[in-house]
Amino acid sequence: MSGGETASGLSWAFMGGFPRSLPAENTLPVAGLRNVMRILDDVEKGRLRRYAFIDCHACPEGCVGGCLTVENPYVARGKAIRLGQRLPAGPATDRDLVEQRYKEGAYQMDEPLAARPLRPLASDVSSAITKMKERDRILASLPGIDCGACGAPSCHAFAADVVLGETERELCVFSWQRELFDRIEELARLVNLQKQTDGGNR
Ligand code: SF4
Protein backbone atom coordinates (compact mmCIF):
# COMPACT_ATOMS: atom_id res chain seq x y z
CA MET A 1 0.00 0.00 0.00
CA SER A 2 1.16 3.50 -0.78
CA GLY A 3 -0.31 5.50 2.15
CA GLY A 4 -3.59 7.36 2.51
CA GLU A 5 -5.60 4.13 2.78
CA THR A 6 -8.46 3.95 5.22
CA ALA A 7 -10.53 1.17 6.71
CA SER A 8 -13.68 2.49 5.07
CA GLY A 9 -11.96 2.59 1.68
CA LEU A 10 -10.73 -0.98 2.08
CA SER A 11 -14.19 -2.16 3.13
CA TRP A 12 -15.48 -1.39 -0.37
CA ALA A 13 -14.01 -4.75 -1.33
CA PHE A 14 -16.83 -6.65 0.34
CA MET A 15 -20.57 -6.53 0.59
CA GLY A 16 -21.79 -3.95 3.09
CA GLY A 17 -18.49 -2.06 3.17
CA PHE A 18 -19.41 0.69 0.76
CA PRO A 19 -22.50 1.95 2.66
CA ARG A 20 -20.40 2.19 5.82
CA SER A 21 -18.47 5.08 4.31
CA LEU A 22 -21.62 6.92 3.25
CA PRO A 23 -23.68 9.37 5.28
CA ALA A 24 -26.87 7.91 3.72
CA GLU A 25 -29.24 5.98 5.94
CA ASN A 26 -31.34 3.08 4.70
CA THR A 27 -28.73 1.42 2.56
CA LEU A 28 -29.15 -2.07 1.17
CA PRO A 29 -26.06 -4.17 0.35
CA VAL A 30 -26.58 -7.10 -2.01
CA ALA A 31 -24.11 -9.54 -3.59
CA GLY A 32 -24.31 -12.27 -6.20
CA LEU A 33 -25.55 -11.64 -9.72
CA ARG A 34 -28.82 -13.49 -9.26
CA ASN A 35 -29.61 -11.60 -6.03
CA VAL A 36 -28.68 -8.29 -7.68
CA MET A 37 -31.03 -9.06 -10.56
CA ARG A 38 -33.85 -9.84 -8.11
CA ILE A 39 -33.23 -6.62 -6.19
CA LEU A 40 -33.12 -4.52 -9.38
CA ASP A 41 -36.34 -6.22 -10.45
CA ASP A 42 -37.92 -5.15 -7.16
CA VAL A 43 -36.57 -1.61 -7.68
CA GLU A 44 -38.24 -1.50 -11.09
CA LYS A 45 -41.49 -2.64 -9.52
CA GLY A 46 -41.22 0.17 -6.97
CA ARG A 47 -40.97 -2.16 -3.97
CA LEU A 48 -37.78 -0.76 -2.45
CA ARG A 49 -38.47 2.95 -2.28
CA ARG A 50 -37.38 3.19 1.34
CA TYR A 51 -33.72 2.57 0.42
CA ALA A 52 -31.62 5.63 -0.33
CA PHE A 53 -28.66 3.64 -1.64
CA ILE A 54 -28.37 0.10 -2.96
CA ASP A 55 -24.88 -1.34 -3.00
CA CYS A 56 -24.83 -4.05 -5.69
CA HIS A 57 -21.95 -6.50 -6.17
CA ALA A 58 -22.18 -8.99 -9.02
CA CYS A 59 -19.69 -11.30 -7.33
CA PRO A 60 -20.62 -13.36 -4.26
CA GLU A 61 -19.42 -11.56 -1.10
CA GLY A 62 -18.36 -8.58 -3.26
CA CYS A 63 -14.97 -8.07 -4.92
CA VAL A 64 -13.24 -10.46 -2.50
CA GLY A 65 -15.47 -13.23 -3.89
CA GLY A 66 -14.79 -12.30 -7.52
CA CYS A 67 -13.46 -14.74 -10.09
CA LEU A 68 -10.10 -12.91 -10.17
CA THR A 69 -9.51 -13.35 -6.42
CA VAL A 70 -7.06 -16.22 -6.18
CA GLU A 71 -7.55 -16.60 -2.42
CA ASN A 72 -10.52 -18.37 -0.85
CA PRO A 73 -13.12 -15.54 -0.65
CA TYR A 74 -13.68 -15.98 3.10
CA VAL A 75 -9.95 -15.98 3.79
CA ALA A 76 -9.60 -12.87 1.57
CA ARG A 77 -12.42 -11.18 3.46
CA GLY A 78 -10.84 -12.07 6.82
CA LYS A 79 -7.50 -10.65 5.69
CA ALA A 80 -9.16 -7.43 4.46
CA ILE A 81 -10.99 -7.02 7.79
CA ARG A 82 -7.77 -7.57 9.78
CA LEU A 83 -5.91 -5.11 7.55
CA GLY A 84 -8.74 -2.60 7.98
CA GLN A 85 -8.41 -2.84 11.76
CA ARG A 86 -4.87 -1.47 11.47
CA LEU A 87 -5.85 1.45 9.22
CA PRO A 88 -7.36 4.80 10.22
CA ALA A 89 -11.14 4.88 9.88
CA GLY A 90 -11.57 8.39 8.44
CA PRO A 91 -11.84 9.33 4.78
CA ALA A 92 -8.58 10.06 2.94
CA THR A 93 -10.45 11.74 0.11
CA ASP A 94 -9.54 15.32 -0.73
CA ARG A 95 -13.10 16.66 -0.97
CA ASP A 96 -12.01 19.99 -2.45
CA LEU A 97 -10.20 18.22 -5.24
CA VAL A 98 -13.16 15.91 -5.86
CA GLU A 99 -15.58 18.87 -5.99
CA GLN A 100 -13.29 20.77 -8.33
CA ARG A 101 -13.01 17.76 -10.65
CA TYR A 102 -16.77 17.28 -10.47
CA LYS A 103 -17.33 20.89 -11.58
CA GLU A 104 -14.87 20.32 -14.41
CA GLY A 105 -17.03 17.42 -15.58
CA ALA A 106 -14.41 14.76 -14.85
CA TYR A 107 -17.08 12.33 -13.57
CA GLN A 108 -19.67 12.96 -16.29
CA MET A 109 -20.22 10.66 -19.22
CA ASP A 110 -19.47 12.10 -22.64
CA GLU A 111 -22.64 10.60 -24.07
CA PRO A 112 -25.77 9.24 -22.39
CA LEU A 113 -25.87 5.48 -22.05
CA ALA A 114 -28.22 3.94 -24.58
CA ALA A 115 -29.93 0.64 -23.80
CA ARG A 116 -28.97 -2.10 -26.24
CA PRO A 117 -32.07 -2.99 -28.27
CA LEU A 118 -33.44 -6.48 -27.92
CA ARG A 119 -31.97 -8.67 -30.60
CA PRO A 120 -34.19 -11.19 -32.32
CA LEU A 121 -32.53 -14.57 -32.83
CA ALA A 122 -33.41 -14.38 -36.53
CA SER A 123 -35.42 -12.16 -38.84
CA ASP A 124 -37.88 -14.85 -39.94
CA VAL A 125 -40.08 -16.85 -37.60
CA SER A 126 -38.99 -20.29 -38.77
CA SER A 127 -35.25 -19.59 -38.22
CA ALA A 128 -36.00 -17.84 -34.93
CA ILE A 129 -37.81 -20.95 -33.63
CA THR A 130 -34.91 -23.18 -34.73
CA LYS A 131 -32.41 -20.90 -32.99
CA MET A 132 -34.60 -20.66 -29.91
CA LYS A 133 -34.52 -24.47 -29.62
CA GLU A 134 -30.76 -24.41 -30.08
CA ARG A 135 -30.44 -21.70 -27.40
CA ASP A 136 -32.57 -23.75 -24.99
CA ARG A 137 -30.49 -26.86 -25.73
CA ILE A 138 -27.28 -24.94 -24.92
CA LEU A 139 -28.89 -23.37 -21.86
CA ALA A 140 -29.86 -26.80 -20.52
CA SER A 141 -26.19 -27.84 -20.69
CA LEU A 142 -24.97 -24.79 -18.71
CA PRO A 143 -24.70 -24.74 -14.90
CA GLY A 144 -27.45 -22.09 -14.60
CA ILE A 145 -25.71 -20.19 -11.82
CA ASP A 146 -25.55 -16.83 -13.65
CA CYS A 147 -22.06 -16.12 -12.30
CA GLY A 148 -21.19 -13.62 -15.06
CA ALA A 149 -17.62 -14.94 -15.46
CA CYS A 150 -18.13 -15.28 -19.22
CA GLY A 151 -19.10 -11.61 -19.51
CA ALA A 152 -22.80 -12.29 -20.07
CA PRO A 153 -25.21 -11.28 -17.27
CA SER A 154 -26.81 -14.73 -17.17
CA CYS A 155 -26.50 -18.22 -18.63
CA HIS A 156 -29.62 -17.48 -20.70
CA ALA A 157 -27.97 -14.41 -22.28
CA PHE A 158 -24.76 -16.40 -22.84
CA ALA A 159 -26.68 -19.18 -24.63
CA ALA A 160 -28.36 -16.58 -26.87
CA ASP A 161 -24.97 -15.01 -27.64
CA VAL A 162 -23.60 -18.44 -28.64
CA VAL A 163 -26.52 -18.99 -31.01
CA LEU A 164 -26.01 -15.52 -32.50
CA GLY A 165 -22.33 -16.33 -33.05
CA GLU A 166 -21.18 -13.55 -30.71
CA THR A 167 -19.30 -15.81 -28.34
CA GLU A 168 -18.12 -19.40 -28.11
CA ARG A 169 -19.62 -22.17 -26.05
CA GLU A 170 -16.19 -22.96 -24.54
CA LEU A 171 -16.03 -19.52 -22.89
CA CYS A 172 -18.26 -20.67 -20.05
CA VAL A 173 -15.53 -21.36 -17.49
CA PHE A 174 -17.51 -24.18 -15.91
CA SER A 175 -17.92 -25.94 -19.21
CA TRP A 176 -14.24 -26.22 -19.89
CA GLN A 177 -13.67 -27.18 -16.26
CA ARG A 178 -16.19 -30.01 -16.71
CA GLU A 179 -14.56 -30.99 -19.98
CA LEU A 180 -11.16 -31.04 -18.26
CA PHE A 181 -12.50 -33.33 -15.50
CA ASP A 182 -14.07 -35.59 -18.14
CA ARG A 183 -10.73 -35.84 -19.93
CA ILE A 184 -8.90 -36.57 -16.66
CA GLU A 185 -11.44 -39.32 -15.89
CA GLU A 186 -11.02 -40.76 -19.36
CA LEU A 187 -7.23 -40.67 -18.99
CA ALA A 188 -7.45 -42.41 -15.59
CA ARG A 189 -9.73 -45.05 -17.14
CA LEU A 190 -7.23 -45.70 -19.97
CA VAL A 191 -4.30 -45.90 -17.51
CA ASN A 192 -6.21 -48.44 -15.38
CA LEU A 193 -7.12 -50.42 -18.47
CA GLN A 194 -3.47 -50.47 -19.52
CA LYS A 195 -2.42 -51.65 -16.03
CA GLN A 196 -4.97 -54.47 -16.13
CA THR A 197 -3.77 -55.51 -19.59
CA ASP A 198 -0.12 -55.42 -18.45
CA GLY A 199 -1.03 -57.47 -15.33
CA GLY A 200 -2.91 -60.06 -17.43
CA ASN A 201 0.09 -60.46 -19.76
CA ARG A 202 2.51 -61.31 -16.94
S1 SF4 B 1 -22.58 -19.36 -18.99
FE1 SF4 B 1 -21.08 -20.18 -17.51
S2 SF4 B 1 -19.67 -18.47 -17.10
FE2 SF4 B 1 -21.55 -17.59 -18.10
S3 SF4 B 1 -22.93 -16.99 -16.44
FE3 SF4 B 1 -23.47 -19.11 -16.94
S4 SF4 B 1 -22.20 -20.39 -15.57
FE4 SF4 B 1 -21.31 -18.35 -15.54
Side-chain angles (χ1 to χ4, degrees), residues 29-166:
V30 54
L33 202 59
R34 194 175 291 218
N35 297 328
V36 169
M37 286 164 77
R38 280 199 199 118
I39 288 291
L40 293 180
D41 199 35
D42 281 348
V43 169
E44 279 184 357
K45 289 174 182 154
R47 288 183 184 150
L48 299 172
R49 292 182 196 281
R50 66 183 178 281
Y51 292 105
F53 180 82
I54 299 180
D55 176 28
C56 297
H57 297 260
C59 300
E61 294 290 325
C63 304
V64 290
C67 54
L68 295 180
T69 304
V70 292
E71 183 61 274
N72 174 300
Y74 298 98
V75 174
R77 183 186 164 97
K79 281 183 180 171
I81 289 172
R82 281 198 300 285
L83 183 58
Q85 286 165 346
R86 298 204 299 269
L87 292 172
T93 315
D94 182 341
R95 284 194 72 96
D96 291 339
L97 180 63
V98 171
E99 277 174 23
Q100 181 199 328
R101 299 208 66 205
Y102 180 78
K103 283 179 193 152
E104 289 167 1
Y107 308 124
Q108 313 294 325
M109 300 196 58
D110 294 334
E111 291 173 11
L113 274 181
R116 193 168 73 166
L118 280 177
R119 296 160 304 159
L121 291 175
S123 51
D124 65 288
V125 177
S126 165
S127 309
I129 290 173
T130 307
K131 288 196 172 178
M132 206 185 298
K133 285 182 182 162
E134 175 66 2
R135 179 201 62 196
D136 291 347
R137 193 187 60 74
I138 294 170
L139 180 60
S141 70
L142 295 171
I145 56 173
D146 299 339
C147 68
C150 57
S154 64
C155 296
H156 189 279
F158 176 78
D161 286 346
V162 173
V163 168
L164 289 168
E166 293 182 0

